[in-house]
Coordinates of all heavy atoms in Angstrom, one line a residue:
V18 N 105.4 101.4 93.5 CA 106.4 100.3 93.0 C 107.1 100.9 91.8 O 108.3 100.7 91.5 CB 105.7 99.0 92.8 CG1 106.7 98.1 92.1 CG2 105.2 98.4 94.1
E19 N 106.3 101.5 90.9 CA 106.8 102.0 89.6 C 107.9 103.0 89.8 O 108.7 103.1 88.9 CB 105.7 102.7 88.8 CG 104.7 101.7 88.2 CD 103.7 102.4 87.3 OE1 102.8 103.0 87.8 OE2 104.0 102.2 86.1
V20 N 107.9 103.8 90.8 CA 108.8 105.0 90.9 C 110.1 104.5 91.8 O 110.9 105.3 91.8 CB 108.1 106.2 91.5 CG1 107.0 106.7 90.6 CG2 107.6 106.0 93.0
C21 N 110.0 103.5 92.5 CA 111.1 103.1 93.3 C 112.3 102.7 92.5 O 112.3 101.7 91.7 CB 110.7 102.0 94.2 SG 112.0 101.5 95.4
P22 N 113.4 103.4 92.6 CA 114.5 103.2 91.7 C 115.4 102.1 92.2 O 116.2 101.5 91.5 CB 115.4 104.5 91.9 CG 115.0 105.1 93.2 CD 113.5 104.7 93.3
V23 N 115.1 101.4 93.4 CA 115.9 100.3 93.8 C 115.1 99.0 94.1 O 115.6 98.2 94.8 CB 116.8 100.7 95.2 CG1 117.8 101.8 94.8 CG2 115.8 101.2 96.3
D24 N 113.9 99.1 93.6 CA 113.0 97.9 93.8 C 112.9 97.5 95.4 O 113.1 96.4 95.6 CB 113.4 96.7 93.0 CG 113.3 97.1 91.5 OD1 112.4 97.9 91.1 OD2 114.1 96.5 90.8
A25 N 112.7 98.4 96.2 CA 112.6 98.1 97.7 C 111.3 97.5 98.2 O 111.2 97.2 99.4 CB 112.9 99.4 98.5
F26 N 110.2 97.6 97.4 CA 108.9 97.1 97.8 C 108.9 95.6 97.8 O 109.4 94.9 96.9 CB 107.9 97.7 96.9 CG 107.6 99.1 97.3 CD1 108.2 100.0 96.7 CD2 106.6 99.3 98.3 CE1 108.0 101.5 97.0 CE2 106.4 100.7 98.6 CZ 107.0 101.6 98.0
R27 N 108.2 95.0 98.8 CA 107.9 93.5 98.8 C 106.4 93.4 98.9 O 105.7 94.2 99.5 CB 108.6 93.0 100.1 CG 110.1 93.2 100.2 CD 110.9 92.6 99.1 NE 112.3 92.8 99.2 CZ 113.0 93.7 98.4 NH1 112.3 94.4 97.4 NH2 114.3 93.9 98.5
E28 N 105.9 92.3 98.4 CA 104.5 92.1 98.4 C 103.9 90.9 99.2 O 104.5 89.7 99.0 CB 104.1 91.8 96.8 CG 102.7 91.6 96.6 CD 102.3 91.3 95.2 OE1 103.2 90.8 94.5 OE2 101.2 91.5 94.9
G29 N 103.0 91.2 99.9 CA 102.2 90.2 100.7 C 100.9 90.0 100.1 O 100.5 90.6 99.1
D30 N 100.0 89.2 100.7 CA 98.7 88.9 100.2 C 97.8 90.1 100.1 O 97.1 90.3 99.2 CB 98.0 87.9 101.0 CG 98.6 86.5 100.8 OD1 99.2 86.2 99.8 OD2 98.3 85.6 101.8
N31 N 97.9 91.0 101.1 CA 97.0 92.2 101.1 C 97.6 93.5 101.4 O 96.9 94.5 101.7 CB 95.8 91.8 102.1 CG 96.1 91.9 103.5 OD1 97.2 91.8 104.0 ND2 95.2 92.1 104.3
F32 N 98.9 93.6 101.4 CA 99.5 94.9 101.5 C 101.1 94.8 101.1 O 101.6 93.7 100.8 CB 99.3 95.5 102.9 CG 100.2 94.9 104.0 CD1 101.3 95.6 104.6 CD2 99.8 93.8 104.5 CE1 101.9 95.0 105.6 CE2 100.5 93.2 105.7 CZ 101.5 93.8 106.2
L33 N 101.7 95.9 101.0 CA 103.1 96.0 100.6 C 104.0 96.4 101.8 O 103.4 97.1 102.8 CB 103.4 97.0 99.5 CG 102.5 96.9 98.3 CD1 102.8 98.0 97.3 CD2 102.8 95.5 97.5
V34 N 105.2 96.2 101.7 CA 106.2 96.6 102.7 C 107.4 97.2 102.0 O 107.6 96.9 100.8 CB 106.5 95.6 103.8 CG1 105.4 95.2 104.7 CG2 107.3 94.5 103.3
I35 N 108.2 97.9 102.7 CA 109.4 98.4 102.1 C 110.5 97.8 102.8 O 110.6 97.8 104.1 CB 109.5 100.0 102.2 CG1 108.4 100.6 101.4 CG2 110.9 100.4 101.8 CD1 108.3 102.1 101.6
D36 N 111.6 97.3 102.2 CA 112.7 96.7 102.7 C 113.6 97.8 103.2 O 114.2 98.6 102.4 CB 113.5 95.9 101.7 CG 114.7 95.1 102.2 OD1 115.2 95.5 103.2 OD2 115.0 94.0 101.6
P37 N 113.9 97.9 104.5 CA 114.6 99.0 105.0 C 116.1 99.0 104.6 O 116.8 100.0 104.6 CB 114.5 99.0 106.5 CG 114.1 97.5 106.8 CD 113.3 97.1 105.6
E38 N 116.5 97.8 104.2 CA 117.9 97.6 103.8 C 118.1 98.1 102.4 O 119.3 98.4 101.9 CB 118.3 96.1 104.0 CG 118.3 95.5 105.4 CD 119.3 96.4 106.2 OE1 120.4 96.6 105.9 OE2 118.9 96.7 107.4
E39 N 117.0 98.1 101.6 CA 117.1 98.5 100.2 C 116.7 100.0 99.9 O 117.2 100.6 99.0 CB 116.2 97.6 99.3 CG 116.7 96.2 99.3 CD 118.0 96.0 98.5 OE1 118.3 96.7 97.6 OE2 118.8 95.1 99.0
C40 N 115.9 100.5 100.8 CA 115.4 101.8 100.6 C 116.5 102.8 100.8 O 117.3 102.7 101.6 CB 114.4 102.1 101.8 SG 113.6 103.8 101.7
I41 N 116.6 103.8 99.8 CA 117.6 104.8 99.8 C 117.0 106.2 100.2 O 117.6 107.2 99.9 CB 118.3 104.9 98.3 CG1 117.2 105.2 97.2 CG2 119.0 103.6 98.1 CD1 117.8 105.5 95.9
D42 N 115.8 106.2 100.7 CA 115.3 107.5 101.2 C 115.0 108.6 100.1 O 115.2 109.7 100.4 CB 116.0 108.0 102.4 CG 116.3 107.1 103.4 OD1 115.5 106.3 103.8 OD2 117.4 107.1 104.0
C43 N 114.6 108.1 99.0 CA 114.5 109.1 97.8 C 113.2 109.9 97.9 O 113.1 110.9 97.3 CB 114.7 108.3 96.6 SG 113.2 107.2 96.1
D44 N 112.2 109.3 98.7 CA 110.9 110.1 98.8 C 110.0 110.0 97.7 O 108.9 110.6 97.7 CB 111.2 111.5 99.3 CG 110.0 112.2 99.8 OD1 109.2 111.6 100.5 OD2 109.9 113.4 99.5
L45 N 110.3 109.3 96.6 CA 109.5 109.3 95.4 C 108.2 108.6 95.6 O 107.1 108.9 95.1 CB 110.2 108.6 94.2 CG 111.5 109.4 93.7 CD1 112.2 108.6 92.7 CD2 111.1 110.7 93.1
C46 N 108.1 107.5 96.5 CA 107.0 106.7 96.7 C 105.9 107.4 97.5 O 104.7 107.2 97.3 CB 107.3 105.5 97.4 SG 108.2 105.6 99.0
V47 N 106.3 108.4 98.3 CA 105.4 109.0 99.2 C 104.2 109.7 98.4 O 103.0 109.5 98.7 CB 106.1 110.0 100.1 CG1 105.0 110.8 101.0 CG2 107.0 109.2 101.1
D48 N 104.6 110.5 97.4 CA 103.6 111.2 96.6 C 102.8 110.3 95.7 O 101.8 110.6 95.3 CB 104.3 112.2 95.7 CG 104.8 113.5 96.5 OD1 104.3 113.6 97.7 OD2 105.8 114.1 96.1
E49 N 103.3 109.1 95.5 CA 102.5 108.1 94.6 C 101.5 107.4 95.3 O 100.6 106.8 94.6 CB 103.5 107.2 93.9 CG 104.4 107.8 92.9 CD 103.7 108.4 91.7 OE1 102.7 107.8 91.2 OE2 104.1 109.5 91.4
C50 N 101.5 107.4 96.7 CA 100.6 106.5 97.4 C 99.2 107.3 97.6 O 99.1 108.3 98.3 CB 101.1 106.3 98.8 SG 100.0 105.2 99.8
P51 N 98.2 106.8 96.9 CA 96.9 107.5 97.1 C 96.2 107.3 98.4 O 95.3 108.0 98.7 CB 96.1 106.8 95.9 CG 96.6 105.4 95.9 CD 98.1 105.6 96.0
E52 N 96.8 106.4 99.3 CA 96.2 106.2 100.5 C 97.0 106.9 101.7 O 96.7 106.8 102.9 CB 96.2 104.8 100.9 CG 95.2 104.0 99.9 CD 93.8 104.4 99.9 OE1 93.3 104.7 101.0 OE2 93.1 104.5 98.8
D53 N 98.0 107.7 101.3 CA 98.9 108.3 102.3 C 99.4 107.4 103.4 O 99.4 107.6 104.5 CB 98.2 109.5 102.9 CG 97.8 110.6 101.9 OD1 98.7 110.9 101.0 OD2 96.8 111.3 102.0
A54 N 99.8 106.1 102.8 CA 100.2 105.1 103.7 C 101.7 104.9 103.9 O 102.2 104.0 104.6 CB 99.6 103.8 103.2
I55 N 102.5 105.7 103.2 CA 103.9 105.7 103.3 C 104.5 106.8 104.1 O 104.2 108.0 103.8 CB 104.5 105.6 101.9 CG1 104.0 104.4 101.1 CG2 106.1 105.5 102.0 CD1 104.4 104.3 99.7
F56 N 105.3 106.6 105.1 CA 105.9 107.5 106.0 C 107.4 107.4 106.1 O 107.9 106.3 106.1 CB 105.4 107.3 107.4 CG 103.9 107.3 107.5 CD1 103.2 106.2 107.5 CD2 103.1 108.5 107.5 CE1 101.8 106.0 107.5 CE2 101.8 108.4 107.5 CZ 101.1 107.2 107.6
A57 N 108.2 108.4 106.3 CA 109.5 108.5 106.7 C 109.5 107.8 108.1 O 108.5 108.0 108.9 CB 110.1 109.8 106.7
E58 N 110.5 107.0 108.4 CA 110.5 106.3 109.6 C 110.3 107.2 110.8 O 109.8 106.8 111.8 CB 111.9 105.4 109.7 CG 111.9 104.5 110.9 CD 113.2 103.6 110.9 OE1 113.9 103.5 109.8 OE2 113.5 103.1 111.9
D59 N 111.0 108.4 110.8 CA 110.8 109.4 111.9 C 109.5 110.0 112.0 O 109.2 110.6 113.0 CB 111.9 110.4 111.8 CG 113.3 109.9 111.9 OD1 113.5 108.7 112.5 OD2 114.3 110.5 111.5
D60 N 108.6 109.8 110.9 CA 107.3 110.4 110.9 C 106.2 109.5 111.0 O 105.0 109.9 110.7 CB 107.2 111.2 109.7 CG 108.2 112.4 109.6 OD1 108.6 112.9 110.6 OD2 108.7 112.8 108.4
V61 N 106.5 108.1 111.3 CA 105.4 107.2 111.4 C 104.4 107.7 112.5 O 105.0 107.8 113.7 CB 106.0 105.8 111.6 CG1 104.7 104.8 111.9 CG2 106.8 105.4 110.5
P62 N 103.1 107.7 112.3 CA 102.2 108.1 113.4 C 102.3 107.1 114.6 O 102.7 105.9 114.4 CB 100.8 107.9 112.7 CG 101.1 108.1 111.3 CD 102.4 107.5 111.1
A63 N 102.1 107.8 115.8 CA 102.3 106.9 117.0 C 101.5 105.6 117.0 O 101.9 104.6 117.6 CB 102.0 107.8 118.2
D64 N 100.3 105.6 116.5 CA 99.5 104.5 116.4 C 99.9 103.5 115.4 O 99.2 102.3 115.2 CB 98.0 104.9 116.2 CG 97.7 105.5 114.9 OD1 98.6 106.0 114.2 OD2 96.5 105.5 114.5
Q65 N 101.0 103.8 114.6 CA 101.5 102.8 113.6 C 102.8 102.4 113.7 O 103.5 101.9 112.8 CB 101.2 103.4 112.2 CG 99.7 103.6 111.9 CD 99.5 103.9 110.5 OE1 100.0 103.4 109.5 NE2 98.7 105.0 110.2
I66 N 103.5 102.8 114.9 CA 104.9 102.5 115.1 C 105.3 101.0 114.8 O 106.4 100.7 114.4 CB 105.3 103.0 116.6 CG1 105.3 104.4 116.7 CG2 106.6 102.4 117.1 CD1 106.3 105.3 115.9

Side-chain angles (χ1 to χ4, degrees):
V18 170
E19 285 186 283
V20 299
C21 183
V23 295
D24 298 330
F26 283 88
R27 306 294 181 257
E28 181 182 24
D30 286 341
N31 71 338
F32 72 108
L33 305 174
V34 296
I35 296 174
D36 184 337
E38 298 299 318
E39 296 294 324
C40 181
I41 60 170
D42 307 325
C43 69
D44 195 35
L45 294 173
C46 58
V47 176
D48 289 336
E49 291 299 319
C50 180
E52 300 299 321
D53 297 323
I55 301 175
F56 308 95
E58 188 173 344
D59 291 343
D60 297 329
V61 174
D64 64 338
Q65 296 187 51
I66 290 295

